[in-house]
Amino acid sequence: MDYQFPRQLFPSFYSCDPPNRVQRHSAGGWGCYHGVLAQGGTGSLSSWAFTSKQQLGGEVWRQTEPVPVPLLSPRKAFQEFLTPPDPLDFLKHMQNFYMDHGPDAFGCMSEILGENFYFKKAKVKEKYRKGSVNMWRTKCFVDQLKFNMCSMAYRSRSLNRYCSLLWDVVHDVPPELLGSLLHEELAEQRDRMQFSEAATGGALAFVPFSQGEGCLLYPGGPGMDRLNFHRVALERDGDACVDAGGRKPVGFQLKAPVRQISCGSRFGDSCVAVRTDHVCGVWGMREQEEPRLLQVVGTRAAASCVSVSPHILGEVLVASESGAANLWTVGRGMQEVRTEESNLYFNAKSSWRWCEFSAHPRVMLYADRTGVELTDFRVKLESNPSHTLFRISSTSDCQSGERLLLVRFLGDVHPFHHLLTTQHSAYIMDERFPGVPMLKWDHMMEAPPLFCHVAPGSASGTTKVLLGSQSSQEITLLQYSGGRVEACCSHGSPQVLLRPRDSLALLPVQIPHRQQTAAHRLASPAAGLTCLQKTSVSTATMIVLQLTAAGDVFYQILERDDRKPGAPETGPPETGAPETGAPETGARSPLLVAETSSDEDVVMPTQDPNAHTFVPETPDRNQSSDRLPDQVPAFVAVGNEADWSAPSVLSSATRHAWRRWLQKLRRREGKPGAPPHLAVRTAGLLSVAEPGAAGRHMQGALQQDLQRCMRTRSLLLNRDLDPVPVPPVVDTEAWCDPLSDRLTAAWRGGTEAWLEWWQEERGENRAMKKEALRRRRRREKEAQRAAGRHLRLSGSFTSSISYQTDVDDFSGWSSGTSGPLSDSQRSRPLGRLAAFLEGQDDSPPPDRLDPPSRTPEPQTANQRSCNLADQSLSSLWETQEDPPLHPAPSSSSSQLPSFTSLMPSKASQNQRGALQASQPKKKKSRMGF
Amino acid sequence: MEALDEYLGPPVVLEDESDSSDCSSRKRHKSKLPLAKSMCVEARVESGFHKTCRICLEHVREAMLHHRWQEAAEYMASYTQILEDRNKIKAQPHKELVWRISTEILHHLPNATVKDYNIIYEQMKHSGVKHYLMICLEHSFHLMLHGDIQAAKRQLSIAESWRHGKESVSQLPRIKLIQAYRSLLDYIMWCDKKSTLSINNSFESDNQGMHTFFRLAATNLQDILKNPGVWDPFILCYVEMLEYYGDNEEAQKVLNDYAYDNSFPPNPNAHVYLYQFLKRHDAPDKKLMKVLKHLHLLVPSHELMLAYSCLLLQSEKQSHTQKALGVLLEMLDFQCWRSNLDVWKCLHAVIHQLLQQEEWATSVQGQMALRNDWWPALHFTSFHAKKDLEENSELFKVKASLAEILCPGRPLRYTAETQMLTS
């Protein structure tokens, strides 16, 4: 029963004193019950039950996605700066002023100096005036200044003259005055950026039609000056359905940005009032008919409020900043119902006024920043009997500095309730009991709430109050019940919904400059808020839509969770089980807008979202994640027990919608500010000669041949062209420089061969070779000993002779390997040599003084090794200009500069002896010995 | 010019003088709204300890606002170290903060026990004098909601006896509220005793105990009812006890004060309680009508207005019939009564009574003159006809018969619909 008044109200003090409370903590109303009522006592203690004003359990509403989803594709929009202009950055702002308002700043002076300037093309200047500044050339020069150019190379004499003429120019507006005005303007801009009261009420509305259909009203266009009526269909449970009409939004171009949209419906007829700064318009709308403009009125002072009557269609209240409130009966005209030049209760220095209808069709609410009055406008203006509904006072437990921001009549929810918001709190007022708030919340929002939407609950459910702020894009969900038989009580604690500006963090990563563009776009302040409710048997759904100042509409879907909040989460709920299985079909996106082919189309996938019609935004994990489970972590849960709040998984439909949106945004925005450069026309600069007729014919024939060959998969043999001679076979022997050797080795044997060659080149295997040499010398010595003592002298002599052969052998060794030779190595020439040397160990020839000359078999090998050594040596010396006569000793020292350092320090005496033997210096001393 | 007008407007006394934020304004400057301070502002000079705490608090807040209670609890476990802050002045608001946040988190954690609550309430209660009473009161609310009336009363009694010099003076309203709630619990005990008394006949001792509860409750309730405010639950129990002991005069005086004292807010319930009291004690109609007349001025849409119009009709005074017409028409202005059959029937009766005499017929016209331009749209459109026919045909008949009388000379769609349907 709507007319009932609560039997008991929660106790509270009443005082009209100005508020003096200062909140010193940031916890708002958390943790308090605020009061209790005793109920139902029949006598015994246990029969009494208590209800608190702040009840703990509310309905649990949970987002289905961790991010809000864009509804419309991004349009071109004028975006304000996110950071307010710095009033102290004075030079820049003065420069802007001079550039933008040149005639205002220098009008008089330019008339005086006008004859000294010459504005036509330069050639024939002398004929007219001498000594005048040529503005054409100057302008050309100034135009070029915006490119990055060398400031020293480009100079203009005429500009210099211009400067010397004008450096002490007299301003039309004295700089002092201009400065103070500018500072004031900038300060106001900053204030407006934090809080712009013109947007109060919000420019987003939804008019529901019959089952599952409705019309979404929002402003579009770059200046938010185009009013769009867009048909939307709420999807039926489970199956995705496309709007049958498929109509484009009906748009009306206005002359100023839309500030507020107010709707009222009765019996299928809807009335839409739209407020811009100085003009208000009313449109009529029905389900079957196109919206039509009914009447437009202008206001002298800026209009601050428009409000459609919920009782009688065609009655609209308009309040303006002059303090007047008018009743506008569409078709009949305006009637002034109240004027108030000052603020109602104290001087808040504000010209903001607001009007709302109340439960009685002839009583309205008249509000300003200090409070709300109920005004009966049947009575004459002079004897206005109005009484206070609300005032900033200590009764309502206001904080000092608190101001009223928004008033909304909640006719759909309760015929006598009004919602009031301030910077800190939200109040529910009952107009039957003026002066005392029925309910108060601390909404705990950072920025003042300027938009609200109230969704009535079902019979036993709670009423949902959504508050939206402007600059911070916050949306807060509050719940309350009661007001009829029971007193009002709030349920649960304030819940913050998702913001578009936070969503980028949860989406796949973008390339930084795109991320920046998108972040800037998403951070533009909110401009409206509305909510659609859909209740079915199993679930209740709320779709919260938010409009931003850039003209984007985002929505998020909330589902009521009927389980006990304490129950641990064990998989998806029973009702949602079939749905969660098929999110890819777009089943979880119940809001579908008619897809049109034009610019006005929407982002929502009406096609298969998995069909990648667009290239992926970044070569990121997006693609690979098609195979992996589609999960992007939304938040890092600290606890091991899952919280029952936002889901952490982006559905693929959402991600697809976002990807399309971001791509379209990028195309709209174009390339972000690359510095301008002077463009030089290059057409014809490097032109290829046009092929003649014959050439063109040949080209055609060739193409045909090519196609034919491709079809038959045969080789294209071009008969017409002259065959290019095959290059002659490469003779590797012709090149014998080290590089060629190296390359040859690399080509032949791959890495190992090349490594070998390189080791040889650097002499890294020298120690090994010396070891072999020493062994051989020992054998020779033993052979000499065996030959007899008479040969000792000659033996020592031969040993010095054999030195030369040693060196030869030594270089012959160079290609050998260190370990025991494998069979394949033995088969090679060098391998054979090594095998020969090994074989010497076993059977040393006793009587050989000069083994190379005596033994025929190894001679070939030795010769070969000599050849090799010669080759390598000659190749060495080829690079040098003056080859020495005895290359070996000097070559060993020049070729191996780090030889000594390569030797291990703890080498044995024997080895040192061998080393000394290989060094000619030492040999000399030995000869002396 | 506009700016000038604004400037010339009569200066209004600045009530809110403590408001320093408004002082800087030029004449063209629009309102400068004192915005809510950001919750966790970085101090200019802050120690590492304070920085950690601030960041932690931000996380707690974020988690709580998004209803991630488990996460908030984890952070909160760390945040309690702020209580070790040595800076006395700074620490004070933090104590209340800790108490509020921890209680709220406990409210939402599924495995919170009574012991957890007791620890939070008891420890935080004794951490500072400024919020002692508030936490005591909230603690007792918590106990009441969990059915532990005895413990709640004990808490309130302890709080009542708390004294702390200047603090107890500045928190006088809170002390009064505590006393009043304690009296409410006394009343509940009293009811308990009363019910046992009626079951097992009267024992002198029990009667004595009951009377003690009454005396305990009465003094405090009398006290709180002197302060302007909304005291519905308190006045109800006080009046009930007074009535039990036969002190009807006092009861009526209390109710009268509550309803007619101008310093009190215009509470419709005050008049309702008085009306109900008078009705219980068979007061004459004249008195009842007087009460309802006041209620009519306050809430013309109140459900008792039907009773009021009946009383007016019964009193056989012609002027009263006219008043009844006004009352009923005003009820029908409101949306909640628009399709109520009883009101329309009553209106039908009144109008027919009035129309019987020529001189009163004009009064109907007079009443309707104010409504002529909007009543047709409010009640008599073709949509209303369709709706009434579908939902309540009897209502449709009554309305259709009255349409011509109420809005004469206007072609109403409502009746046109009737003709269309009947033909």
Side-chain angles (χ1 to χ4, degrees):
Chain A
M1 291 300 173
D2 281 343
Y3 46 76
Q4 281 174 322
F5 190 78
R7 285 192 208 119
Q8 286 184 33
L9 298 169
F10 287 100
S12 66
F13 280 94
Y14 177 79
S15 141
C16 286
D17 300 340
N20 51 9
R21 188 165 72 95
V22 180
Q23 187 150 14
R24 294 173 66 200
H25 59 81
S26 58
W30 276 331
C32 273
Y33 291 106
H34 296 295
V36 289
L37 278 184
Q39 276 175 340
T42 52
S44 63
L45 277 186
S46 56
S47 69
W48 286 89
F50 292 86
T51 46
S52 58
K53 199 169 185 182
Q54 158 71 50
Q55 299 199 348
L56 302 184
E59 291 173 5
V60 180
W61 288 87
R62 205 177 295 202
Q63 280 102 353
T64 56
E65 300 276 344
V67 289
V69 187
L71 178 71
L72 309 161
S73 63
R75 318 272 159 70
K76 265 223 163 65
F78 171 71
Q79 272 185 276
E80 288 183 28
F81 298 104
L82 291 179
T83 49
D86 182 10
L88 295 178
D89 193 0
F90 207 70
L91 283 179
K92 202 182 105 199
H93 296 298
M94 289 302 272
Q95 187 190 350
N96 284 344
F97 177 77
Y98 290 143
M99 299 282 275
D100 297 342
H101 303 277
D104 295 338
F106 308 110
C108 294
M109 204 60 192
S110 62
E111 272 186 23
I112 295 166
L113 296 175
E115 55 190 25
N116 290 310
F117 295 104
Y118 183 76
F119 285 92
K120 288 187 181 166
K121 280 211 172 185
K123 299 261 166 72
V124 286
K125 183 181 126 188
E126 279 77 11
K127 280 187 189 169
Y128 293 94
R129 265 178 231 119
K130 292 219 163 142
S132 60
V133 179
N134 187 332
M135 282 312 290
W136 176 75
R137 198 176 287 158
T138 313
K139 191 176 168 296
C140 281
F141 183 79
V142 169
D143 282 347
Q144 284 191 351
L145 278 183
K146 61 176 178 275
F147 304 114
N148 293 338
M149 284 193 302
C150 173
S151 56
M152 295 306 287
Y154 287 85
R155 285 182 165 197
S156 165
R157 257 178 52 225
S158 53
L159 190 71
N160 290 346
R161 267 194 274 168
Y162 184 80
C163 287
S164 62
L165 196 61
L166 292 180
W167 69 274
D168 55 350
V169 72
V170 180
H171 299 268
D172 282 14
V173 188
E176 291 80 19
L177 176 61
L178 188 64
S180 71
L181 286 174
L182 182 68
H183 186 269
E184 195 175 318
E185 167 66 22
L186 289 173
E188 201 177 307
Q189 268 187 31
R190 193 186 49 198
D191 288 350
R192 200 166 50 221
M193 205 155 284
Q194 283 175 337
F195 169 71
S196 152
E197 62 185 14
T200 311
L204 183 69
F206 180 75
V207 180
F209 294 145
S210 56
Q211 197 60 45
E213 282 234 345
C215 189
L216 191 65
L217 305 164
Y218 59 89
M224 302 283 274
D225 52 355
R226 189 179 171 82
L227 179 67
N228 288 319
F229 294 80
H230 205 153
R231 273 291 171 100
V232 292
L234 297 177
E235 193 198 21
R236 265 172 242 104
D237 266 338
D239 24 24
C241 65
V242 185
D243 185 11
R247 270 178 275 176
K248 282 171 73 173
V250 182
F252 293 89
Q253 185 65 46
L254 312 181
K255 282 185 176 165
V258 176
R259 302 288 189 198
Q260 190 202 346
I261 299 178
S262 169
C263 295
S265 291
R266 278 192 79 71
F267 304 116
D269 255 331
S270 299
C271 183
V272 178
V274 173
R275 166 170 70 88
T276 64
D277 280 342
H278 287 273
V279 177
C280 297
V282 169
W283 277 260
M285 197 168 61
R286 272 186 200 195
E287 185 171 0
Q288 303 304 330
E289 296 167 19
E290 295 261 296
R292 62 199 188 284
L293 179 62
L294 298 178
Q295 199 182 0
V296 172
V297 292
T299 52
R300 217 165 52 82
S304 61
C305 162
V306 68
S307 147
V308 172
S309 168
H311 308 288
I312 299 160
L313 269 195
E315 283 191 357
V316 180
L317 279 172
V318 180
S320 66
E321 288 186 354
S322 65
N326 296 292
L327 176 69
W328 173 21
T329 314
V330 176
R332 271 192 258 170
M334 310 270 272
Q335 173 202 351
E336 193 161 277
V337 287
R338 180 151 189 190
T339 345
E340 205 69 52
E341 282 175 356
S342 55
N343 286 139
L344 288 174
Y345 298 106
F346 56 90
N347 189 1
K349 299 189 180 79
S350 161
S351 55
W352 178 83
R353 298 290 188 277
W354 195 264
C355 287
E356 283 281 325
F357 279 91
S358 72
H360 193 284
R362 280 297 173 270
V363 176
M364 68 157 188
L365 268 69
Y366 182 83
D368 68 5
R369 291 268 179 255
T370 64
V372 187
E373 281 193 351
L374 285 161
T375 305
D376 190 335
F377 51 77
R378 283 169 297 186
V379 192
K380 290 270 177 285
L381 264 179
E382 293 76 43
S383 60
N384 231 335
S386 51
H387 49 276
T388 304
L389 176 66
F390 176 84
R391 64 189 289 180
I392 301 287
S393 69
S394 58
T395 294
S396 39
D397 199 19
C398 292
Q399 297 180 33
S400 74
E402 197 161 336
R403 295 286 180 274
L404 197 68
L405 293 170
L406 179 68
V407 182
R408 179 66 61 89
F409 174 49
L410 307 181
D412 303 338
V413 175
H414 189 286
F416 297 101
H417 277 185
H418 297 267
L419 173 75
L420 276 68
T421 66
T422 66
Q423 305 99 299
H424 309 289
S425 313
Y427 301 89
I428 296 288
M429 302 294 300
D430 193 317
E431 63 177 73
R432 293 169 295 183
F433 188 5
V436 178
M438 294 288 111
L439 198 61
K440 179 191 171 168
W441 290 281
D442 270 321
H443 54 62
M444 289 193 266
M445 291 164 83
E446 283 167 32
L450 288 187
F451 320 115
C452 73
H453 190 277
V454 180
S458 53
S460 60
T462 58
T463 301
K464 271 75 69 183
V465 178
L466 286 160
L467 299 179
S469 78
Q470 187 185 25
S471 53
S472 63
Q473 292 184 342
E474 291 161 293
I475 307 177
T476 300
L477 173 68
L478 308 167
Q479 300 176 41
Y480 85 100
S481 68
R484 295 188 170 92
V485 185
E486 307 293 323
C488 284
C489 49
S490 59
H491 289 259
S493 66
Q495 183 183 3
V496 170
L497 304 188
L498 302 171
R499 302 192 290 180
R501 65 170 57 170
D502 295 335
S503 49
L504 270 189
L506 303 176
L507 293 169
V509 183
Q510 307 277 311
I511 294 170
H513 69 261
R514 289 184 200 162
Q515 184 106 6
Q516 206 179 353
T517 323
H520 186 220
R521 174 93 176 196
L522 291 176
S524 48
L529 169 76
T530 192
C531 168
L532 290 63
Q533 259 192 317
K534 202 178 62 154
T535 317
S536 66
V537 186
S538 56
T539 54
T541 317
M542 247 194 324
I543 304 168
V544 181
L545 293 126
Q546 192 178 23
L547 173 77
T548 67
D552 299 317
V553 178
F554 296 92
Y555 71 89
Q556 50 191 307
I557 302 162
L558 291 124
E559 276 181 352
R560 194 176 63 206
D561 203 332
D562 295 326
R563 288 167 298 158
K564 291 287 283 179
E569 215 159 321
T570 54
E574 292 77 33
T575 52
E579 282 180 356
T580 45
E584 278 74 21
T585 56
R588 298 188 72 84
S589 52
L591 196 67
L592 291 175
V593 184
E595 176 86 46
T596 52
S597 57
S598 76
D599 195 62
E600 300 280 316
D601 62 348
V602 291
V603 184
M604 276 313 301
T606 44
Q607 70 213 54
D608 179 17
N610 287 332
H612 293 293
T613 49
F614 288 80
V615 287
E617 194 70 5
T618 44
D620 58 0
R621 53 190 187 232
N622 234 355
Q623 284 305 303
S624 60
S625 66
D626 282 350
R627 281 176 281 110
L628 299 168
D630 283 348
Q631 294 197 348
V632 178
F635 65 91
V636 182
V638 181
N640 45 7
E641 188 184 341
D643 277 310
W644 55 90
S645 57
S648 55
V649 182
L650 270 177
S651 79
S652 69
T654 306
R655 219 179 43 216
H656 185 72
W658 266 105
R659 193 186 306 154
R660 287 187 60 159
W661 190 86
L662 289 168
Q663 268 165 355
K664 286 192 170 176
L665 176 71
R666 182 160 52 86
R667 280 183 208 171
R668 283 286 136 78
E669 302 277 323
K671 287 205 169 175
H677 287 284
L678 186 58
V680 178
R681 289 179 63 81
T682 55
L685 197 66
L686 286 169
S687 61
V688 183
E690 275 286 302
R696 219 171 290 138
H697 170 74
M698 204 170 77
Q699 201 180 351
L702 252 177
Q703 273 174 355
Q704 278 177 5
D705 280 354
L706 185 65
Q707 278 169 1
R708 182 174 45 76
C709 288
M710 280 169 75
R711 267 200 301 279
T712 57
R713 300 188 172 206
S714 62
L715 197 64
L716 173 68
L717 295 170
N718 205 330
R719 296 173 304 274
D720 300 335
L721 297 176
D722 294 329
V724 180
V726 180
V729 182
V730 181
D731 179 18
T732 49
E733 302 296 320
W735 297 294
C736 44
D737 53 311
L739 179 64
S740 306
D741 282 347
R742 203 168 96 199
L743 287 176
T744 315
W747 274 105
R748 275 193 195 128
T751 330
E752 301 90 37
W754 180 82
L755 252 174
E756 266 171 34
W757 180 89
W758 192 243
Q759 279 172 352
E760 153 70 12
E761 190 70 19
R762 293 189 58 187
E764 278 170 8
N765 48 1
R766 177 162 284 210
M768 236 155 24
K769 278 180 265 176
K770 254 176 256 149
E771 182 65 25
L773 186 65
R774 217 174 48 226
R775 274 202 304 268
R776 209 177 100 197
R777 195 169 287 161
R778 213 181 300 134
R779 279 196 303 272
E780 281 171 0
K781 271 182 185 166
E782 278 164 13
Q784 282 166 11
R785 224 173 282 139
R789 297 195 63 82
H790 63 277
L791 279 176
R792 188 177 294 162
L793 189 61
S794 62
S796 68
F797 182 67
T798 45
S799 73
S800 66
I801 288 174
S802 72
Y803 170 75
Q804 199 58 45
T805 57
D806 284 349
V807 173
D808 288 350
D809 277 349
F810 175 70
S811 39
W813 251 103
S814 61
S815 298
T817 47
S818 54
L821 290 166
S822 63
D823 287 340
S824 62
Q825 281 170 326
R826 280 171 207 273
S827 65
R828 271 185 273 166
L830 286 175
R832 277 205 296 277
L833 169 65
F836 161 71
L837 288 175
E838 276 173 355
Q840 269 187 335
D841 279 357
D842 300 323
S843 55
D847 53 348
R848 261 182 291 167
L849 287 178
D850 194 1
S853 59
R854 297 238 176 136
T855 45
E857 271 184 330
Q859 196 174 6
T860 52
N862 260 353
Q863 275 171 353
R864 191 178 182 102
S865 66
C866 275
N867 281 346
L868 277 173
D870 279 351
Q871 270 181 15
S872 65
L873 282 175
S874 62
S875 67
L876 262 179
W877 302 129
E878 268 171 9
T879 54
Q880 294 184 6
E881 285 168 23
D882 188 24
L885 286 173
H886 299 286
S890 61
S891 79
S892 65
S893 59
S894 71
Q895 192 66 11
L896 305 163
S898 59
F899 185 72
T900 45
S901 66
L902 282 172
M903 282 304 294
S905 57
K906 55 179 182 181
S908 66
Q909 197 62 39
N910 249 352
Q911 282 173 325
R912 194 165 293 156
L915 179 66
Q916 281 167 352
S918 69
Q919 284 176 350
K921 256 192 320 195
K922 299 287 178 185
K923 189 178 76 182
K924 199 174 177 181
S925 66
R926 207 173 76 177
M927 284 298 285
F929 177 75
Chain B
M1 275 309 286
E2 194 187 311
L4 200 66
D5 289 345
E6 205 171 310
Y7 195 56
L8 288 173
V12 176
V13 182
L14 188 75
E15 271 188 41
D16 202 358
E17 274 179 342
S18 61
D19 220 6
S20 59
S21 51
D22 281 2
C23 290
S24 65
S25 80
R26 305 172 79 97
K27 68 175 184 184
R28 232 188 94 251
H29 207 285
K30 287 186 185 172
S31 83
K32 201 176 162 197
L33 190 79
L35 297 173
K37 271 183 223 154
S38 182
M39 301 302 170
C40 317
V41 203
E42 192 175 343
R44 203 163 291 165
V45 182
E46 89 181 328
S47 65
F49 172 72
H50 284 123
K51 193 179 176 190
T52 323
C53 288
R54 179 173 56 79
I55 292 170
C56 188
L57 178 63
E58 273 169 36
H59 282 294
V60 174
R61 231 180 88 86
E62 189 74 15
M64 287 178 77
L65 286 175
H66 284 96
H67 286 198
R68 301 195 296 259
W69 302 110
Q70 191 68 40
E71 191 186 331
E74 310 253 350
Y75 281 121
M76 195 58 208
S78 317
Y79 184 67
T80 43
Q81 63 170 312
I82 191 78
L83 295 176
E84 288 158 30
D85 193 355
R86 297 255 179 93
N87 189 336
K88 285 269 164 59
I89 305 152
K90 267 190 180 175
Q92 187 58 38
H94 290 308
K95 285 173 185 163
E96 192 184 337
L97 190 75
V98 168
W99 168 67
R100 280 177 180 270
I101 291 181
S102 357
T103 323
E104 186 70 25
I105 291 175
L106 277 187
H107 285 338
H108 290 92
L109 284 184
N111 47 2
T113 58
V114 184
K115 208 175 155 196
D116 296 332
Y117 275 108
N118 281 339
I119 288 170
I120 288 290
Y121 278 120
E122 289 297 337
Q123 290 211 340
M124 297 316 295
K125 196 187 289 180
H126 294 105
S127 66
V129 286
K130 287 212 165 149
H131 48 248
Y132 178 81
L133 289 179
M134 181 181 64
I135 297 180
C136 273
L137 191 58
E138 290 292 329
H139 193 185
S140 66
F141 288 158
H142 181 79
L143 293 168
M144 282 183 228
L145 288 170
H146 286 78
D148 197 348
I149 294 175
Q150 296 285 1
K153 193 174 166 238
R154 205 160 45 242
Q155 281 295 333
L156 288 172
S157 304
I158 294 168
E160 227 178 333
S161 58
W162 180 82
R163 293 283 178 279
H164 202 279
K166 274 185 187 171
E167 278 302 323
S168 49
V169 175
S170 67
Q171 299 194 31
L172 203 61
R174 192 159 276 146
I175 292 173
K176 280 185 179 155
L177 211 56
I178 286 174
Q179 288 170 348
Y181 271 111
R182 214 258 301 144
S183 310
L184 186 70
L185 295 183
D186 281 337
Y187 159 76
I188 289 172
M189 305 261 183
W190 179 83
C191 285
D192 185 39
K193 280 270 189 311
K194 194 179 78 173
S195 65
T196 50
L197 205 66
S198 58
I199 292 167
N200 354 304
N201 293 325
S202 64
F203 288 111
E204 202 53 33
S205 59
D206 258 15
N207 211 341
Q208 274 301 317
M210 205 173 127
H211 200 74
T212 327
F213 280 125
F214 166 66
R215 273 189 290 109
L216 277 173
T219 42
N220 284 333
L221 288 175
Q222 261 176 333
D223 202 28
I224 189 108
L225 289 175
K226 280 176 194 149
N227 296 286
V230 182
W231 311 121
D232 290 0
F234 303 142
I235 202 161
L236 279 179
C237 63
Y238 187 42
V239 167
E240 192 188 331
M241 288 192 287
L242 286 176
E243 277 181 293
Y244 181 82
Y245 290 110
D247 195 355
N248 287 340
E249 274 174 36
E250 172 69 10
Q252 192 174 352
K253 185 182 162 284
V254 166
L255 283 171
N256 263 324
D257 284 351
Y258 192 50
Y260 296 121
D261 192 335
N262 276 333
S263 64
F264 275 68
N267 191 347
N269 276 344
H271 299 271
V272 175
Y273 297 154
L274 184 60
Y275 171 80
Q276 284 166 346
F277 176 82
L278 291 175
K279 212 159 182 213
R280 273 202 299 274
H281 295 278
D282 298 322
D285 281 1
K286 208 175 171 187
K287 272 194 170 178
L288 290 177
M289 266 155 48
K290 194 187 155 219
V291 176
L292 288 176
K293 190 183 157 198
H294 276 101
L295 186 61
H296 173 69
L297 286 176
L298 271 181
V299 188
S301 65
H302 202 278
E303 52 188 324
L304 283 179
M305 289 306 108
L306 261 181
Y308 182 39
S309 60
C310 288
L311 281 176
L312 286 170
L313 274 180
Q314 281 161 15
S315 73
E316 292 176 355
K317 246 187 172 179
Q318 282 296 356
S319 64
H320 280 176
T321 321
Q322 223 174 340
K323 260 187 202 166
L325 175 71
V327 169
L328 287 168
L329 286 178
E330 204 155 353
M331 277 174 91
L332 287 172
D333 286 348
F334 288 95
Q335 191 180 1
C336 47
W337 292 107
R338 267 171 221 168
S339 49
N340 189 298
L341 183 61
D342 295 339
V343 185
W344 280 103
K345 269 184 172 170
C346 211
L347 181 69
H348 191 262
V350 171
I351 284 179
H352 279 273
Q353 199 175 330
L354 282 173
L355 285 180
Q356 279 162 9
Q357 286 148 339
E358 276 294 315
E359 63 262 39
W360 299 114
T362 48
S363 66
V364 180
Q365 312 299 333
Q367 286 280 359
M368 283 310 294
L370 283 169
R371 297 181 165 86
N372 242 337
D373 51 340
W374 47 281
W375 258 52
L378 201 67
H379 290 290
F380 300 117
T381 65
S382 53
F383 291 112
H384 284 105
K386 217 180 281 174
K387 188 167 159 264
D388 291 343
L389 262 178
E390 274 172 21
E391 290 170 5
N392 195 344
S393 56
E394 201 181 341
L395 172 69
F396 178 76
K397 274 179 208 158
V398 178
K399 267 177 91 173
S401 66
L402 286 175
E404 197 54 41
I405 304 161
L406 291 173
C407 305
R410 281 173 153 255
L412 291 174
R413 295 239 181 95
Y414 197 84
T415 42
E417 194 85 2
T418 339
Q419 285 154 12
M420 206 178 70
L421 284 164
T422 48
S423 63

